């Protein structure tokens, strides 16, 4: 421990200040688990570059900014921040709802996609639950696409594991998600989410959200969704 004050930083040349270690945790933009063009043709390279590098990055940066100096909250996981969003102080509730939701939602979204042909298909317990709870794969796709189509404006369509351990399809507006107790219509643990904001599809599909949703099933990483299902059932 040195008694000397640290040298003054120049934020323009040295970049953003990182918090003193052991005091605050800051969120980081996760790397994509594949190249930007890996999801073509369902999702185009430019959309992925902007969506991950600019939109998701902005959610992360704004979330960190909102939590600055909020030591009761800044060390919490993103899941806990989402679950307890209604308990947050009024001055950060809105920014954490939007940007924390944005960070959680996009982090999940990148993980549950994979290049066409690489995502496998649902198997084992998940396959059985899809049949038992959602009436099979075709009905699952129809229900998720329908939830995405009916979401007016911006939002997400989801498959969640609900409190009874059953699969359910739901949707949320903006960057809300089904972890958000007291805000989401249906709460549970998301195992699949599809972004229906225009920024997710407009460059390639323009206003044709239905075409985007139809193509999107080609790039679902069902191996990852199966993993998420297994861990949600253990909670
Ligand atoms: Mn998005």
């Amino acid at each position: 421990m040195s008694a000397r004050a640290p040298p003054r930083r120049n934020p323009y040349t040295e970049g953003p200040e990182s918090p003193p270690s052991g005091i605050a945790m800051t969120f980081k933009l996760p790397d994509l688990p594949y190249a930007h063009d890996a999801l073509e043709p369902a999702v185009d390279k430019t959309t992925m570059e902007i969506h991950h590098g600019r939109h998701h990055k902005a959610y992360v940066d704004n979330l960190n900014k909102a939590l600055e100096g909020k030591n009761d909250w800044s060390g919490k996981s993103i899941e806990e921040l989402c679950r307890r969003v209604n308990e947050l102080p009024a001055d950060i509730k809105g920014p954490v709802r939007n940007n924390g939701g944005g960070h959680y939602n996009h982090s999940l979204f990148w993980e549950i996609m994979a290049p066409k042909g690489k995502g496998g298909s649902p198997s084992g317990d998940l396959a059985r639950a899809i049949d038992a709870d959602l009436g099979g794969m075709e009905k699952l796709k129809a229900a998720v696409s329908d939830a995405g189509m009916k979401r007016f404006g911006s939002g997400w369509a989801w498959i969640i594991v609900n409190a009874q351990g059953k699969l359910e399809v739901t949707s949320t507006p903006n960057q809300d998600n089904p972890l958000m107790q007291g805000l989401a219509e249906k709460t549970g643990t998301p195992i699949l989410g599809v972004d229906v904001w225009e920024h997710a599809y407009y460059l390639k599909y323009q206003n044709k959200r239905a075409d985007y949703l139809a193509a999107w099933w080609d790039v679902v990483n069902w191996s990852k969704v199966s993993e998420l299902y297994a861990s949600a059932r253990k909670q």
Side-chain angles (χ1 to χ4, degrees):
M1 293 289 282
S2 163
R4 284 178 56 191
R8 287 287 298 271
R9 300 174 56 264
N10 179 338
Y12 298 101
T13 56
E14 295 177 51
E17 189 167 11
S18 47
S21 64
I23 294 177
M25 183 176 80
T26 52
F27 292 101
K28 292 198 169 54
L29 180 68
D31 290 336
L32 286 178
Y34 34 70
H36 288 107
D37 62 357
L39 305 180
E40 299 236 15
V43 186
D44 64 284
K45 181 183 179 189
T46 307
T47 294
M48 287 300 292
E49 286 171 346
I50 296 172
H51 200 175
H52 175 259
R54 298 195 213 162
H55 290 278
H56 190 173
K57 184 177 187 299
Y59 298 127
V60 171
D61 291 346
N62 289 326
L63 175 62
N64 286 331
K65 216 175 287 169
L67 291 171
E68 250 170 38
K70 302 285 180 184
N71 290 344
D72 290 350
W73 293 96
S74 58
K76 306 288 186 215
S77 70
I78 190 61
E79 288 83 2
E80 183 172 356
L81 289 171
C82 289
R83 280 197 191 92
R84 297 177 60 192
V85 67
N86 257 345
E87 299 171 41
L88 289 165
D91 60 328
I92 61 166
K93 184 175 163 181
V96 173
R97 177 182 186 174
N98 292 330
N99 296 293
H103 178 43
Y104 174 85
N105 298 350
H106 288 85
S107 299
L108 178 79
F109 189 51
W110 313 133
E111 289 292 324
I112 58 99
M113 294 191 287
K116 188 174 182 175
K118 299 267 174 69
S121 50
S123 60
D125 289 345
L126 177 63
R128 280 189 285 278
I130 288 171
D131 288 341
D133 300 342
L134 299 176
M137 198 58 177
E138 288 316 305
K139 286 191 175 157
L140 170 158
K141 288 184 180 176
V144 172
S145 297
D146 188 55
M149 286 304 294
K150 285 185 178 150
R151 172 51 55 197
F152 183 77
S154 298
W156 291 75
W158 305 96
I159 300 175
I160 60 171
V161 177
N162 68 18
Q164 289 73 44
K166 304 276 191 214
L167 296 177
E168 248 187 303
V169 172
T170 187
S171 83
T172 53
N174 305 314
Q175 295 297 354
D176 287 1
N177 64 50
L179 293 177
M180 294 179 173
Q181 305 285 338
L183 291 179
E185 198 181 314
K186 290 182 181 173
T187 50
T189 306
I191 61 166
L192 175 147
V194 55
D195 190 341
V196 298
W197 283 57
E198 281 187 344
H199 69 221
Y201 63 87
Y202 202 86
L203 289 181
K204 183 178 166 94
Y205 297 92
Q206 292 81 47
N207 59 321
K208 298 177 192 129
R209 188 186 286 185
D211 291 357
Y212 157 68
L213 284 168
W216 184 75
W217 294 109
D218 284 347
V219 293
V220 174
N221 184 348
W222 289 107
S223 313
K224 185 68 193 181
V225 177
S226 300
E227 257 176 54
L228 293 171
Y229 174 71
S231 82
R233 288 289 306 245
K234 279 188 211 130
Q235 282 171 16

